[in-house]
Amino acid sequence: MLAAGPNIVVQRNDAWKMIIDNAQLYLNYFFPGEVGRSRPLFTGKGFEAVSAAIAKDDYEAALTESLRMINDPKKEIAAKALYNCAVLFERKNQPEEALNYAKQSVDVYDLREARLLWNDLAQ
């Protein structure tokens, strides 16, 4: 904190957040803890139904819409749909299903988001 300089008083809210985050990371080395993550969903062109379901907080409908598109002839769209399924299964606390869909997504088309998700779940 001394390295932060005299502006630390003005930025005290940011400083407290950093202190709490660092303390949580330190404790996670020794005790079980939680890690907060946010993952994007594909909701753009071709995924309007997923976007509409998410806007209503209806994640089951978003999953259903994504499942409908996993066999799309365009590999990129199929991979995005598989990735969406993986994210939604992870949200439902079904890591085995999420890992399965993430792996399928990576196999169909190399999406950066799917690789990151697969790496997180495979550990």
Side-chain angles (χ1 to χ4, degrees), residues 21-94:
D21 289 346
N22 284 331
Q24 186 63 49
L25 287 171
Y26 178 77
L27 290 173
N28 284 347
Y29 281 116
F30 303 103
F31 304 102
E34 293 184 2
V35 176
R37 290 199 170 103
S38 62
R39 302 197 192 277
L41 281 174
F42 290 101
T43 58
K45 184 178 178 185
F47 292 89
E48 291 86 1
V50 174
S51 180
I54 295 296
K56 297 177 190 174
D57 289 331
D58 189 354
Y59 296 99
E60 286 298 321
L63 178 60
T64 302
E65 293 300 327
S66 294
L67 285 168
R68 288 184 186 158
M69 296 188 291
I70 63 173
N71 294 317
D72 194 282
K74 294 180 182 172
K75 290 184 178 189
E76 185 176 3
I77 294 195
K80 288 178 178 181
L82 287 161
Y83 166 80
N84 279 355
C85 292
V87 170
L88 293 166
F89 274 113
E90 182 185 33
R91 186 180 188 286
K92 289 176 66 169
N93 199 25
Q94 295 180 355

